[in-house]
């Protein structure tokens, strides 16, 4: 797959103050593990998040005795949503939840509670009621009180079955139980409406072909009703997988950007390991921003951390690989923040990439890097791409509610065999360039074959090789329960 990228950007007002001093973050640290498996490991990869700087070490920005207004882009709706209840009332809320009808959440439902509760979907304040659902499904946007629109390309909904609907009856509020049976949230002033799965699938993915990962995992097996309402999240969502310190909320990220005195933030989402082509594009982005007059642009390296399809590299392995990229200096740890975006992945192409861009606005990013075929995948039943590879970046340039963002095209990056490193593609000597797709990269790692020198930092590559070696080691021990 080629790496034709574009950057989505919001041009800051010329009156914005450009501050040159920034706090130096510590390098990401990690430990080596002797083996990997595809399941969540109980041991943490990171003992702490070195990107969270103690407040006592950060000097507030002041000007003439007053606090300087943040230069970050405003969240959608003008205010960042935070639906986690204060600790002082948590006990009383849990006691109330025990008296309410119960709705059982799946792990992916819990990821959506996390997303909405922290404000990634601002100004949305809960699972969608029918009017919000229809706006999202048909217009990819929501109308807010002042008459303007914010982007909302994916319906964020909670499905229930007939039995659960019957238990709820006429109750106005319900309690949401996590996969482990603990009280996660209260859903207030609920509305229950029909879940037309075929319409939802067709409008979100543009096809009803069998084999769409999110559809098979979530929608097909879901109930025939949707329940919407206002969320009260009873406690911060934790996964206890060793990575919780890297799940920074939009508020935490905005605080960190302010501490570093960022005057521009550019976000790069990926669900694959970082190779040197990615790094080239990210580093070149920062160089361009400096040339535009920004003094301290900060990179938000923001891998997707929710549901992904089974053949994607697991999150814990990707995070370990990302840490090696920073340790080896391929990306500058002093101008990079690594955090996890908790959203599940739909693989819905141009529809989903709008959600990815919109969510980063709420985290304070005013630049968004978007690649070839963003959020896309191969057609589940035919040998072709499901979406046109260029449609994602084109849709972002005209999507309703994303007017704060503009597109700056990037050149294609590929492996230059003349200099043995990733470089921008030169069509005058096309035969010198090698395109290594994510699929090809994973095939190298599975076979133990090294990619061309300069494609990825060696320590990062070793993380992938160990992971695939562990999968091969597990396969012989997996015996069928029954044989014929």
């Amino acid at each position: 797959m080629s790496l034709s990228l574009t950057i989505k950007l919001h041009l800051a007002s010329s009156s914005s103050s450009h501050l040159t001093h920034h706090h130096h973050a510590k390098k990401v640290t990690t430990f080596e593990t002797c083996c990997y498996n595809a399941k969540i490991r109980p041991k943490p990869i990171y003992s702490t998040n070195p990107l969270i700087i103690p407040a006592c070490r950060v000097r507030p920005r002041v000007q003439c005795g007053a606090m300087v207004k943040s230069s970050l882009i405003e969240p959608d709706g003008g205010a960042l949503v935070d639906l986690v209840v204060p600790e002082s009332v948590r006990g009383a809320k849990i006691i109330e939840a025990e008296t309410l009808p119960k709705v059982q959440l799946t792990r992916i439902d819990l990821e959506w509670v996390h997303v909405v509760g922290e404000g990634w979907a601002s100004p949305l304040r809960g699972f969608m009621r029918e009017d919000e659902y229809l706006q999202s499904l048909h217009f990819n946007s929501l109308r807010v009180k002042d008459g303007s629109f914010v982007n909302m390309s994916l319906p964020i909904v909670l499905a229930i079955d007939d039995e659960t609907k019957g238990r709820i009856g006429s109750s106005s509020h319900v309690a949401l139980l996590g996969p482990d049976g603990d009280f996660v949230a209260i859903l207030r002033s609920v509305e229950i409406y029909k879940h037309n799965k075929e319409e939802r699938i067709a409008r979100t993915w543009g096809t009803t072909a069998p084999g769409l990962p999110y559809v098979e995992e979530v929608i097909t097996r879901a109930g025939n009703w949707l329940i919407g309402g206002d969320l009260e999240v009873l406690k911060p969502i934790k996964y206890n997988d060793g990575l919780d310190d890297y799940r920074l909320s939009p508020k935490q990220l905005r605080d960190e950007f302010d501490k570093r005195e960022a005057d521009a933030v550019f976000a790069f989402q990926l669900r694959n390991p970082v190779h040197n082509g990615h790094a080239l594009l990210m580093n070149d982005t920062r160089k361009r921003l400096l040339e535009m007059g920004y003094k301290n642009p900060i990179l938000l390296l923001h891998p997707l951390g929710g549901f992904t399809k089974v053949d994607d590299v697991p999150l814990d392995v990707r995070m370990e690989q990302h840490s090696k990229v920073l340790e080896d200096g391929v990306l500058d740890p002093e101008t990079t923040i690594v955090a996890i975006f908790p959203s599940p992945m739909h693989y819905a192409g141009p529809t989903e990439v709008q959600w990815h861009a919109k969510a980063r606005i709420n985290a304070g990013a005013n630049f968004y890097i978007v690649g070839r075929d963003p959020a896309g995948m191969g057609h589940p039943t035919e040998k072709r791409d499901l979406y046109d590879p260029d449609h994602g970046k084109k849709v972002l340039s005209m999507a309703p509610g994303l007017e704060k963002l503009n597109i700056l095209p990037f050149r294609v990056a590929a492996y230059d065999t003349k200099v043995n490193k990733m470089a921008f593609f030169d069509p005058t000597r096309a035969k010198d360039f090698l395109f290594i797709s994510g699929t090809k990269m994973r095939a190298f790692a599975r076979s133990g074959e090294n990619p061309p020198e300069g494609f990825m930092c060696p320590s990062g590559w070793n993380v992938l090789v160990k992971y695939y070696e562990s999968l091969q080691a597990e396969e012989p021990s997996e015996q069928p329960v029954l044989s014929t």
Side-chain angles (χ1 to χ4, degrees):
M1 182 183 293
S2 66
L3 293 169
S4 175
L5 299 190
T6 62
I7 291 184
K8 303 268 311 188
L9 65 140
H10 171 67
L11 295 178
S13 167
S14 59
S15 62
S16 298
S17 61
H18 297 297
L19 300 169
T20 57
H21 175 74
H22 64 280
H23 189 93
H24 295 300
K26 300 176 185 176
K27 284 192 176 183
V28 177
T29 56
T30 164
F31 60 78
E32 292 288 346
T33 52
C34 61
C35 60
Y36 289 96
N37 58 60
K39 300 177 182 177
I40 294 174
R41 297 197 295 278
K43 290 185 178 181
I45 292 177
Y46 307 98
S47 59
T48 184
N49 188 339
L51 301 173
I52 299 178
I53 303 170
C56 61
R57 292 172 50 197
V58 179
R59 293 181 296 178
R61 285 187 271 177
V62 295
Q63 183 176 11
C64 300
M67 293 298 295
V68 175
K69 181 178 172 65
S70 172
S71 63
L72 301 178
I73 191 172
E74 280 196 349
D76 280 340
L80 191 62
V81 167
D82 182 358
L83 303 177
V84 181
V85 301
E87 191 171 0
S88 59
V89 300
R90 189 170 298 161
K93 296 285 186 183
I94 292 175
I95 291 172
E96 180 189 0
E98 292 172 346
T99 69
L100 298 174
K102 313 297 189 295
V103 173
Q104 181 67 53
L105 302 176
T106 67
R107 181 178 173 86
I108 296 175
D109 292 333
L110 183 65
E111 291 172 356
W112 284 120
V113 171
H114 187 174
V115 165
V116 176
E118 288 189 342
W120 294 101
S122 293
L124 190 68
R125 301 191 63 85
F127 285 107
M128 291 178 174
R129 297 183 177 90
E130 189 173 33
D131 63 336
E132 295 168 320
Y133 171 71
L134 291 175
Q135 289 180 68
S136 173
L137 194 66
H138 292 272
F139 310 128
N140 291 165
S141 60
L142 296 178
R143 187 189 294 271
V144 294
K145 290 181 180 179
D146 66 1
S148 63
F149 290 90
V150 298
N151 193 270
M152 190 64 70
S153 63
L154 291 182
I156 299 179
V157 292
L158 178 61
I160 57 173
D161 58 20
D162 293 350
E163 181 183 350
T164 303
K165 180 177 181 291
R167 287 202 310 269
I168 294 170
S170 60
S171 177
S172 297
H173 316 308
V174 300
L176 305 184
L177 297 178
D180 297 328
D182 56 324
F183 288 101
V184 169
I186 294 174
L187 200 61
R188 301 279 187 191
S189 304
V190 300
E191 177 186 348
I192 298 175
Y193 54 101
K194 189 70 177 175
H195 186 191
N196 187 335
K197 298 180 185 180
E198 184 178 23
E199 180 187 28
R200 179 184 173 191
I201 295 165
R203 294 199 69 92
T204 302
W205 281 270
T207 180
T208 56
L212 298 168
Y214 190 90
V215 171
E216 298 291 329
E217 183 69 24
V218 178
I219 300 179
T220 301
R221 63 182 70 182
N224 294 321
W225 304 93
L226 298 174
I227 181 168
D230 298 325
L231 265 177
E232 289 183 354
V233 183
L234 300 179
K235 57 185 177 181
I237 304 299
K238 302 293 181 184
Y239 300 87
N240 301 313
D241 58 355
L243 298 173
D244 282 329
D245 285 336
Y246 275 78
R247 293 182 174 94
L248 302 183
S249 69
K251 182 181 185 304
Q252 288 173 314
L253 285 168
R254 284 175 170 270
D255 288 345
E256 182 64 24
F257 298 143
D258 273 339
K259 289 174 183 177
R260 298 197 186 195
E261 300 184 347
D263 59 353
V265 176
F266 58 110
F268 185 67
Q269 171 181 296
L270 68 171
R271 56 181 174 85
N272 281 309
V274 174
H275 56 63
N276 290 348
H278 297 135
L280 172 67
L281 292 157
M282 287 183 272
N283 288 328
D284 190 68
T285 300
R286 188 169 195 276
K287 177 184 175 183
R288 289 182 178 224
L289 293 177
L290 291 169
E291 291 172 350
M292 290 169 60
Y294 292 97
K295 303 300 183 184
N296 188 30
I298 296 293
L299 165 64
L300 172 60
L301 180 58
H302 213 202
L304 184 135
F307 163 80
T308 55
K309 55 191 176 71
V310 68
D311 59 340
D312 280 351
V313 177
L315 176 63
D316 57 354
V317 180
R318 285 185 277 131
M319 289 299 289
E320 179 118 5
Q321 193 270 345
H322 295 355
S323 75
K324 297 299 184 185
V325 170
L326 269 73
E327 286 179 0
D328 287 0
V330 178
L331 293 173
D332 182 0
E334 296 184 353
T335 58
T336 302
I337 292 177
V338 182
I340 295 171
F341 178 44
S343 176
M345 186 76 188
H346 278 56
Y347 305 91
T351 297
E352 185 172 18
V353 75
Q354 297 173 64
W355 159 243
H356 293 164
K358 175 254 175 33
R360 277 32 181 260
I361 290 173
N362 286 329
N366 52 348
F367 293 70
Y368 183 74
I369 303 176
V370 57
R372 177 187 181 275
D373 195 20
M377 58 172 280
H379 194 284
T381 61
E382 302 174 18
K383 291 184 177 180
R384 61 180 177 87
D385 287 338
L386 184 55
Y387 307 106
D388 186 299
D390 292 326
H391 280 184
K393 62 184 178 183
K394 290 180 179 179
V395 164
L396 283 178
S397 70
M398 50 191 170
L402 295 182
E403 292 83 4
K404 291 181 270 193
L405 304 173
N406 301 290
I407 290 181
L408 175 66
F410 256 112
R411 292 168 290 167
V412 177
Y415 186 79
D416 188 338
T417 59
K418 290 293 186 183
V419 294
N420 294 329
K421 67 178 184 180
M422 299 299 288
F424 290 119
F425 179 68
D426 182 353
T428 64
R429 50 184 190 91
K431 65 181 186 334
D432 296 332
F433 286 86
L434 178 65
F435 291 93
I436 302 174
S437 66
T439 301
K440 182 66 174 176
M441 177 181 66
R442 291 190 290 270
F444 278 138
R446 286 192 191 96
S447 66
E449 180 182 355
N450 287 326
E453 180 185 358
F455 174 74
M456 182 184 292
C457 66
S459 61
W461 182 252
N462 288 338
V463 171
L464 299 184
V465 171
K466 287 180 182 179
Y467 165 65
Y468 283 109
E469 284 178 349
S470 74
L471 292 185
Q472 293 171 355
E474 288 176 0
E475 287 173 0
S477 62
E478 295 177 356
Q479 301 296 328
V481 177
L482 298 174
S483 60
T484 56

